[in-house]
Amino acid sequence: MADQENPVFQIQRVYLKDLSLEQPNSPAILLEQEQPSVDIQLGVEATPVAEGVYEVAVTATVQTKINDKTVFLVEAKQAGIFEIRNLPEDQMGAVIGIACPQIIYPYLRGNVADIVTRAGFPPVHLAEINFQAMYEQQQAQAALAAEADTSLPQ
C-alpha cells in the first residue's frame, strides 16, 4: 500500500524523435566569405502517453543566413518518456517543465552539433538553458494572458 503513495519519477527512454537538415542554397552559398547570422529557437512540449506516463520533447530550430539566403536550417526534436506518479498537482508542472527538459537537453545539444558538423559546417553549440527561468517566464506570461482575458468586457 505504501508503494502507491510514494512519488515516482523514472526515465523510461530518451530518443531523437525528429531531425531535419536543409541546405537550400548549396553549393553557391558555401563560397561566400561573409559570416552568417545564427537564429536559435527552442521549445518544450509535454504529452500524456498513458496513466502516469508522459512524453516530454525539447525542440531546437537553428537557422543560419548570409544576408537573406539560408546557409542551413536544422530542426531537431529530442524526446523522453517519463513515468511520473503520486506527485502533488502543484509540482507536476515544474517536473514536466523543468526537470524533464534538463535531462533531455544535453542529448539535443549533442545531436544538433553532430548533424551540423556532418553537414560540413563548424559545429553549433547550443548554450546551456535555465529551464527553471524559462518555465517561470512562461507561467508569468500565462498569468498575464489569463488576467487580460478576465479584464475584457463580456
Side-chain angles (χ1 to χ4, degrees):
M1 196 70 160
D3 283 347
Q4 293 178 352
E5 300 304 317
N6 287 337
V8 174
F9 178 77
Q10 292 183 333
I11 305 165
Q12 300 294 329
R13 175 170 287 200
V14 175
Y15 54 98
L16 183 61
K17 185 164 184 159
D18 190 16
L19 179 64
S20 70
L21 166 73
E22 297 175 24
Q23 294 187 52
N25 296 299
S26 293
I29 196 91
L30 301 175
L31 303 175
E32 293 286 332
Q33 297 300 311
E34 202 173 321
Q35 275 296 101
S37 63
V38 179
D39 178 47
I40 300 171
Q41 302 293 319
L42 288 175
V44 175
E45 59 189 48
T47 309
V49 176
E51 179 66 33
V53 180
Y54 300 85
E55 178 190 60
V56 178
V58 181
T59 303
T61 303
V62 180
Q63 184 169 22
T64 60
K65 289 184 169 187
I66 294 178
N67 299 318
D68 64 342
K69 290 190 173 191
T70 297
V71 178
F72 68 83
L73 171 67
V74 172
E75 294 176 307
K77 180 184 282 191
Q78 189 77 40
I81 297 174
F82 297 88
E83 181 180 0
I84 307 168
R85 299 182 193 277
N86 305 324
L87 284 184
E89 195 59 40
D90 63 336
Q91 292 179 13
M92 284 296 289
V95 168
I96 290 172
I98 301 169
C100 295
Q102 284 177 330
I103 292 167
I104 297 167
Y105 187 65
Y107 295 95
L108 178 68
R109 289 180 72 210
N111 283 326
V112 168
D114 186 51
I115 195 68
V116 170
T117 302
R118 288 176 185 267
F121 299 100
V124 171
H125 295 290
L126 300 177
E128 290 292 331
I129 299 294
N130 182 338
F131 284 100
Q132 181 168 350
M134 189 171 151
Y135 176 78
E136 289 170 357
Q137 181 183 14
Q138 289 169 342
Q139 295 300 107
Q141 288 172 344
L144 283 175
E147 192 176 293
D149 285 347
T150 59
S151 65
L152 293 175
Q154 300 294 324

